[in-house]
Amino acid sequence: MTQKKTLLFALFFFCAFPLQAQLLWEITGKGLTKPSYLYGTMHVSDARAYTHIEKISPYLNTCEVLAGEMDLDIDPNASAAAMMPKMFIKGDTTLKALLDSAQYQEVKTALQAKMPMMVAMMDKIQPIFLVVFLSDAANAKKTASADSSSRPPLDLYLQRKAKEEGKEVIGLETLGEQLDAFTSISLQEQAKLLVESVEGLKNAQENGGKDPTIEKMLDWYAEENLDELQKIATQSSSLQLNENLLLKRNYLMAERIAPKIAEKTHFIAIGAAHLGGEEGVIALLKKEGFEVKPIQ
């Protein structure tokens, strides 16, 4: 699997999954008087991401707090203020210097088609942000042309539903921390991801606007076929990406979950890729002394 696919996997599921095919887990033990719950989400609006809503709703209803990776209803002005200092390349390095001439032209053409306002600034924007911007633009176009136009990404939907029901909604990370995870990837690695992302967009256009690999992943998510998702995530991946986008964040989130669920019942809705593996949130919570069991 290309590094671009690995990044998309992190963005959507935000690698290894538990062998038991479950997305919903109960957290008990270590003196908890009531259980909390852990659920693997996706940051997409596709109907397949919503397959398990009826199953998880009763568990969400019993909890006092919904905890996501971060509060997604952040003020746009606050978001822009946090992003601007981190978005640009420092020093004399430019995007043009990171790519060969053909790659640079491909990226420029893609930006001109999807985000023309970015073209004038592209040389000094960190490539990882261009990857995210292009992905968001492509997803927005696809969503606008589908019957999901009024449906937000799953993780955002869950947070808004919780707020409507009067529940507290918190983030386990800040926007600044998430941005630091992305910008800690080397510029050279970011540049490779950008080139692969543009190639992926071209391939998707040739397949009716759909990326075949992402389509498989969405189907497997709907089926809770975590074995197949694990295979595709581990075929080939960058150690730097795994370390910065996944493992470090797993430890941070598990560390913050532990004291919170001792005080209030939480429904923890984080990207499914954070759940499994020897250094996943499930394993880390077990090491803290909690019992974490899948809910059928």
Side-chain angles (χ1 to χ4, degrees), residues 100-117:
D100 65 35
S101 57
Q103 291 170 337
Y104 184 81
Q105 188 58 49
E106 290 281 356
V107 170
K108 186 174 182 179
T109 299
L111 283 171
Q112 186 66 56
K114 296 187 181 299
M115 301 192 72
M117 75 292 293

Side-chain angles (χ1 to χ4, degrees), residues 43 70-79 152-153 155-164 169-171 175:
H43 187 67
M70 59 176 285
D71 186 343
L72 296 171
D73 269 328
I74 187 170
D75 184 304
N77 292 327
S79 177
D155 47 1
L156 178 57
Y157 166 82
L158 291 173
Q159 291 191 13
R160 288 178 175 172
K161 183 174 186 290
K163 287 180 180 179
E164 288 172 1
V169 173
I170 64 169
L175 175 59

Side-chain angles (χ1 to χ4, degrees), residues 11 30 38 41 58 75 118 122 160-161 166 185 193 217 263 283:
L11 289 171
K30 203 178 179 181
L38 178 63
T41 64
D75 184 304
M118 287 288 176
M122 62 181 280
R160 288 178 175 172
K161 183 174 186 290
I185 301 168
L193 290 167
M217 290 161 60
E263 297 175 358

Side-chain angles (χ1 to χ4, degrees), residues 11-295:
L11 289 171
F12 286 163
F13 297 99
F14 252 116
C15 161
F17 286 88
L19 294 179
Q20 290 172 288
Q22 296 293 328
L23 294 171
L24 181 62
W25 298 73
E26 180 186 67
I27 308 171
T28 57
K30 203 178 179 181
L32 296 182
T33 57
K34 295 181 180 179
S36 284
Y37 302 96
L38 178 63
Y39 182 64
T41 64
M42 298 179 70
H43 187 67
V44 291
S45 304
D46 190 280
R48 286 164 287 186
Y50 280 73
T51 302
H52 310 290
I53 287 293
E54 291 186 9
K55 174 183 175 179
I56 68 173
S57 290
Y59 299 97
L60 173 59
N61 292 340
T62 67
C63 293
E64 301 166 90
V65 182
L66 184 140
E69 291 178 28
M70 59 176 285
D71 186 343
L72 296 171
D73 269 328
I74 187 170
D75 184 304
N77 292 327
S79 177
M83 186 179 296
M84 287 300 290
K86 302 176 186 291
M87 189 168 71
F88 295 98
I89 300 172
K90 296 178 181 179
D92 297 329
T93 304
T94 65
L95 181 65
K96 197 167 190 175
L98 293 167
L99 305 175
D100 65 35
S101 57
Q103 291 170 337
Y104 184 81
Q105 188 58 49
E106 290 281 356
V107 170
K108 186 174 182 179
T109 299
L111 283 171
Q112 186 66 56
K114 296 187 181 299
M115 301 192 72
M117 75 292 293
M118 287 288 176
V119 172
M121 301 182 290
M122 62 181 280
D123 268 338
K124 293 302 291 182
I125 296 177
Q126 292 208 49
I128 197 71
F129 285 95
L130 296 177
V131 173
V132 175
F133 294 155
L134 283 169
S135 177
D136 285 349
N139 288 334
K141 182 178 180 180
K142 182 166 60 176
T143 298
S145 63
D147 61 359
S148 60
S149 57
S150 62
R151 185 169 54 222
L154 174 62
D155 47 1
L156 178 57
Y157 166 82
L158 291 173
Q159 291 191 13
R160 288 178 175 172
K161 183 174 186 290
K163 287 180 180 179
E164 288 172 1
E165 295 173 356
K167 299 182 187 296
E168 181 183 358
V169 173
I170 64 169
L172 296 171
E173 302 171 297
T174 66
L175 175 59
E177 288 170 335
Q178 285 208 348
L179 291 172
D180 286 342
F182 280 90
T183 56
S184 60
I185 301 168
S186 71
L187 289 173
Q188 291 74 20
E189 185 98 346
Q190 291 184 35
K192 291 178 184 177
L193 290 167
L194 177 58
V195 170
E196 291 177 350
S197 180
V198 170
E199 290 175 353
L201 289 172
K202 288 176 63 178
N203 291 337
Q205 288 176 348
E206 295 170 1
N207 286 277
K210 296 182 178 181
D211 185 311
T213 302
I214 300 303
E215 290 298 305
K216 288 181 181 178
M217 290 161 60
L218 286 163
D219 287 338
W220 289 332
Y221 180 88
E223 297 166 4
E224 296 190 274
N225 190 340
L226 303 187
D227 286 342
E228 289 299 328
L229 288 168
Q230 183 182 28
K231 288 176 186 177
I232 199 169
T234 57
Q235 283 173 359
S236 173
S237 60
S238 160
L239 292 176
Q240 188 179 158
L241 281 177
N242 281 340
E243 180 70 20
N244 291 295
L245 297 185
L246 191 70
L247 299 182
K248 288 182 179 179
R249 297 176 61 223
N250 289 350
Y251 279 92
L252 178 65
M253 286 192 281
E255 179 182 319
R256 291 177 177 174
I257 287 168
K260 292 182 183 301
I261 60 178
E263 297 175 358
K264 294 181 179 180
T265 54
H266 282 63
F267 189 93
I268 303 151
I270 58 177
H274 290 292
L275 269 57
E278 294 181 0
E279 295 179 275
V281 171
I282 290 171
L284 295 175
L285 289 175
K286 287 181 177 180
K287 288 179 182 178
E288 288 285 332
F290 296 101
E291 293 181 24
V292 188
K293 298 179 181 179
I295 296 174

